[in-house]
Amino acid sequence: MKKIIYGILISLFFVSSFQAQQQNSKNRTNKDNTIQAPPKLIVGIVVDQMRYDYLTRFYDKYGDGGFKRMMNEGFNCKNNHFNYVPTYTAPGHTSVYTGTTPKYHGIIGNNWYDKEIKSSVYCAGDDSVESVGTEHKAGQMSPHRMKTTTFADENRLFTQMRGKTIGIALKDRGAILPAGHTANAAYWFHGADEGRWISSTFYMAELPKWVQNFNNSNQVKSYFKEWNTLYDISTYTESAPDHNTFEGGFKGKETATFPYDLGALKDQNGGYEILKATPFGNNITTDFALAAIEGEALGQDEFTDVLTISYSSPDYVGHNFGVSSKEVQDTYLRLDKDLERLFKGLDAKVGKGNYTVFLTADHAAVEVPSYLKSLKIPAGYFDSRAFREKVYAFMKTTFKADELIENISNNQIFLNRSKLYEMGLKLEDVQQTIINEIITYEHIDKAYSGMSMTQTSFTTGIEELIQNGFNQKRSGDVIYVYDPAVLSYSLTGSSHGSSFNYDTHVPLLLFGNGIKHGQSLKKTHITDIAPTISAILGISFPNAATGQPLEFVLE
């Protein structure tokens, strides 16, 4: 009898265990299906020239609906860096969306010397297309120089071209490169005397009606108003005094101090161009992005759409006024309001939980070197003109010949290889001779040959970053690096481009569909963003992606 009872109990136990396993399996399947269900819209936000510490320095002044919403509802990667140099706008935007570095995607600068045509080229310039929305050549742009796909391209391919891609930025390169080769449209802002959003025939024959309506409204013109601080300037304790000697300012105003009457200053500062260098450029971008969500019906069907937004104005403001200026602080406090407005628009049009957003930057920036010097911190300025003259003279004296150097730009020296061959000179020997010379110059910290970048595999330090930014067909024969906090720039305002933390450390915030709440100090790279978004969508990674999905940010 006891054996029978024992057998029944054992049977019941196994039945219960089996049923529990089935239920757990069902729960896991439902959960997995929820995770795998793609968002209706991906919104990629790049803030041009945003340092990571702008999140923390201005944190107490931000509202709850912008940067803080992303941190409170999403994931904050606190130790996010660029893993290559140069840290410029075009390579930055491209690397975010392709998941790889200039070594593979080919966008090695905003402009670079083309060794085949022996001339400088612009990253997005394309004479084979025509402007749309203006008669100015500002519309002759396309992504044709970008060698690889973006995750937006892969989403278009995955959905058989039914998922839309729209790119938006004041800067053409900030709109074009993220959106990729297959975008439905990229729009950028042509200032001057027009103040219009434009595109090119690479995308369309004429502007859609909703864009025409936006351009024909007085919305942009309404921003010719006074730029004063959003809050009482005395509360801007996170930035330097308003009046100092480290800021540029605008033509027609004696001091770089608040307030700025943009209506009165516009004629001396490029007309509509002045709006780009104020927080109102971000307002205009947000206005247009919200119009695009409505006009293109983004996120309104079963096929995931992609909207890329670049906020270009912080870069203009930073270059003009510098990292610690009250103008930069005001720009970010106002950008926080723009983000809140954008997210509310997405909640209303797409639905909370139906979209995924990431926010990062294309590079950061250094404190104004003259300001650092005033605090006895090593910093300085590099005289590029004197450097060129000195190097050209050295080459002539050493090799008894002219025209051995074709170009010096982007901290690279390009040699005339035909001339070297004609003279019987070995490329590697000439490269090393130049390195031995320039390493003795003031403010040159390091120098490397193009040969070493192709023959040695670097895995650490600045050498790895240089190699990741070195494209064998497009980069130069000698690459040189400045000392920390040294710029080839004016004595006022900030810039960028180096491998140092002040240029490489940028935010990475993610929130929305598929993103868990949390934060991490684990080091991440800008090239990890595209694979992470691809993983959320369940699509192929961009075709040359070298980054890895950030599994710890995913639900």
Side-chain angles (χ1 to χ4, degrees):
M1 185 67 180
K2 287 183 179 179
K3 290 183 178 180
I4 295 174
I5 294 173
Y6 181 75
I8 292 172
L9 290 173
I10 291 293
S11 298
L12 289 172
F13 172 78
F14 280 114
V15 169
S16 296
S17 297
F18 178 73
Q19 289 175 337
Q21 288 175 347
Q22 281 190 317
Q23 185 61 45
N24 288 338
S25 177
K26 183 179 180 181
N27 289 341
R28 283 196 299 270
T29 301
N30 289 338
K31 185 178 180 182
D32 289 346
N33 286 338
T34 301
I35 291 173
Q36 292 171 3
K40 292 184 175 182
L41 178 65
I42 297 289
V43 181
I45 300 173
V46 176
V47 182
D48 205 321
Q49 201 186 120
M50 185 175 182
R51 292 164 54 113
Y52 175 81
D53 68 355
Y54 290 159
L55 283 179
T56 54
R57 195 197 315 174
F58 307 139
Y59 184 85
D60 290 339
K61 298 291 195 298
Y62 291 140
D64 293 327
F67 290 115
K68 283 185 179 179
R69 179 176 174 186
M70 296 198 76
M71 288 184 272
N72 292 335
E73 295 183 17
F75 204 96
N76 182 4
C77 295
K78 295 182 174 183
N79 193 20
N80 186 57
H81 287 262
F82 281 87
N83 57 343
Y84 67 86
V85 287
T87 42
Y88 295 145
T89 297
H93 282 79
T94 307
S95 297
V96 168
Y97 285 86
T98 62
T100 193
T101 67
K103 179 179 181 179
Y104 298 105
H105 63 58
I107 304 298
I108 64 171
N110 295 334
N111 304 272
W112 63 85
Y113 179 72
D114 189 311
K115 293 185 282 190
E116 294 184 10
I117 65 174
K118 310 298 183 185
S119 180
S120 180
V121 296
Y122 178 60
C123 60
D126 189 349
D127 291 337
S128 72
V129 300
E130 299 299 327
S131 300
V132 174
T134 180
E135 294 183 1
H136 195 274
K137 63 181 182 180
Q140 292 185 284
M141 304 288 168
S142 83
H144 74 108
R145 288 193 169 93
M146 181 170 64
K147 291 174 172 286
T148 63
T149 63
T150 66
F151 76 76
D153 285 321
E154 297 299 335
N155 183 65
R156 291 273 284 160
L157 293 170
F158 182 81
T159 62
Q160 301 302 308
M161 310 302 280
R162 288 174 287 196
K164 287 185 177 181
T165 299
I166 305 293
I168 293 170
L170 296 182
K171 294 181 181 179
D172 49 57
R173 56 187 179 269
I176 292 167
L177 298 170
H181 301 279
T182 61
N184 300 81
Y187 300 103
W188 51 100
F189 187 75
H190 178 50
D193 59 348
E194 293 187 5
R196 298 174 59 82
W197 289 93
I198 65 172
S199 191
S200 81
T201 53
F202 180 84
Y203 305 99
M204 65 194 73
E206 62 179 2
L207 295 176
K209 187 64 176 177
W210 69 265
V211 179
Q212 295 180 40
N213 290 341
F214 189 97
N215 284 337
N216 292 334
S217 72
N218 289 320
Q219 203 157 341
V220 172
K221 191 174 182 179
S222 70
Y223 288 108
F224 283 129
K225 57 185 179 181
E226 183 180 85
W227 174 23
N228 208 340
T229 53
L230 182 63
Y231 306 114
D232 189 322
I233 196 169
S234 66
T235 66
Y236 284 29
T237 54
E238 297 77 17
S239 46
D242 192 28
H243 185 57
N244 60 70
T245 60
F246 309 117
E247 302 176 9
F250 296 116
K251 294 177 182 178
K253 192 173 190 302
E254 188 173 342
T255 60
T257 55
F258 283 105
Y260 299 94
D261 184 346
L262 302 182
L265 294 170
K266 64 181 176 66
D267 290 341
Q268 296 183 65
N269 293 275
Y272 283 94
E273 293 295 315
I274 195 173
L275 296 178
K276 297 179 181 180
T278 75
F280 302 140
N282 293 333
N283 294 159
I284 294 167
T285 302
T286 306
D287 294 341
F288 192 71
L290 290 170
I293 293 168
E294 175 76 23
E296 296 289 344
L298 298 180
Q300 298 303 308
D301 58 28
E302 67 271 32
F303 302 107
T304 302
D305 298 322
V306 176
L307 174 63
T308 76
I309 305 171
S310 178
Y311 284 106
S312 307
S313 289
D315 185 66
Y316 291 110
V317 176
H319 276 296
N320 193 355
F321 297 97
V323 167
S324 289
S325 65
K326 293 209 181 314
E327 286 81 1
V328 160
Q329 178 166 0
D330 192 66
T331 295
Y332 278 89
L333 298 184
R334 290 176 180 273
L335 176 58
D336 185 57
K337 298 292 186 185
D338 271 305
L339 293 175
E340 180 176 7
R341 186 158 61 101
L342 176 65
F343 299 155
K344 285 182 177 178
L346 290 168
D347 290 341
K349 295 294 182 182
V350 184
K352 191 173 183 180
N354 290 329
Y355 61 89
T356 304
V357 180
F358 70 81
L359 182 147
T360 188
D362 56 347
H363 54 74
V366 65
E367 291 273 7
V368 179
S370 55
Y371 171 61
L372 294 177
K373 289 177 70 175
S374 74
L375 300 174
K376 301 181 181 179
I377 296 174
Y381 293 91
F382 186 79
D383 190 334
S384 295
R385 180 179 296 178
F387 173 77
R388 283 194 296 270
E389 291 174 354
K390 194 172 182 179
V391 172
Y392 280 120
F394 166 77
M395 295 294 285
K396 184 173 183 178
T397 300
T398 303
F399 297 103
K400 313 300 180 185
D402 292 317
E403 300 177 350
L404 287 178
I405 294 177
E406 288 185 348
N407 180 267
I408 300 178
S409 58
N410 290 335
N411 288 35
Q412 299 176 68
I413 297 173
F414 295 80
L415 294 173
N416 185 334
R417 298 192 179 193
S418 298
K419 187 76 172 179
L420 296 185
Y421 179 78
E422 178 186 312
M423 294 178 63
L425 296 171
K426 290 185 178 180
L427 176 64
E428 188 171 6
D429 291 343
V430 176
Q431 289 177 347
Q432 191 59 48
T433 298
I434 295 172
I435 290 171
N436 293 340
E437 168 69 10
I438 67 174
I439 199 65
T440 66
Y441 294 179
E442 184 182 19
H443 294 318
I444 296 288
D445 185 45
K446 294 177 175 63
Y448 304 90
S449 68
M451 196 73 72
S452 68
M453 289 296 129
T454 59
Q455 295 183 347
T456 306
S457 179
F458 298 103
T459 58
T460 59
I462 190 173
E463 293 82 6
E464 181 187 18
L465 272 65
I466 292 173
Q467 190 167 60
N468 284 340
F470 184 87
N471 185 278
Q472 193 170 2
K473 290 192 71 171
R474 293 180 176 180
S475 296
D477 292 286
V478 174
I479 306 98
Y480 52 92
V481 179
Y482 301 146
D483 286 324
V486 168
L487 293 177
S488 178
Y489 203 65
S490 66
L491 298 180
T492 58
S494 300
S495 196
H496 50 86
S498 79
S499 63
F500 296 106
N501 285 326
Y502 53 72
D503 279 340
T504 67
H505 190 192
V506 297
L508 175 53
L509 303 175
L510 307 98
F511 93 112
N513 186 307
I515 305 297
K516 68 169 63 170
H517 173 55
Q519 57 186 6
S520 176
L521 282 169
K522 181 179 180 179
K523 190 166 188 177
T524 58
H525 293 128
I526 210 77
T527 50
D528 297 330
I529 297 172
T532 301
I533 299 301
S534 298
I536 290 173
L537 297 178
I539 63 175
S540 296
F541 293 2
N543 59 15
T546 52
Q548 297 298 316
L550 301 176
E551 189 173 359
F552 57 87
V553 312
L554 303 178
E555 286 185 337

